[in-house]
Amino acid sequence: MVTIKNKYVLLAAGFWISGIVLLLLGAIYKAQSWSGTVLSLGIIGQAIGFGFLGFAIMQSVFRKKE
């Protein structure tokens, strides 16, 4: 069973990996006119992934022990 913390970590990993793929595609096709958009989307995807990872870490740190 997946807990909420694990869902956020999986979501972060998904955004991070998709960001890496978009960055690589933008770098490979840098001569095309749309490569700048793909690179920007890759950077944004990685930023969102790291944001979700930070949220998951802070959620686990500040969770009250009962």
Side-chain angles (χ1 to χ4, degrees), residues 5 8-11 17 23 34 43 55 57 64:
K5 181 176 64 171
Y8 286 120
V9 170
L10 291 174
L11 188 64
I17 289 173
L23 280 174
W34 46 267
I43 292 169
F55 177 74
I57 291 170
K64 291 183 179 179

Side-chain angles (χ1 to χ4, degrees), residues 7-40:
K7 287 180 187 176
Y8 286 120
V9 170
L10 291 174
L11 188 64
F15 272 109
W16 188 75
I17 289 173
S18 66
I20 291 288
V21 169
L22 288 173
L23 280 174
L24 289 174
L25 284 176
I28 290 170
Y29 296 110
K30 63 183 172 186
Q32 304 296 324
S33 63
W34 46 267
S35 67
T37 305
V38 174
L39 283 169
S40 297

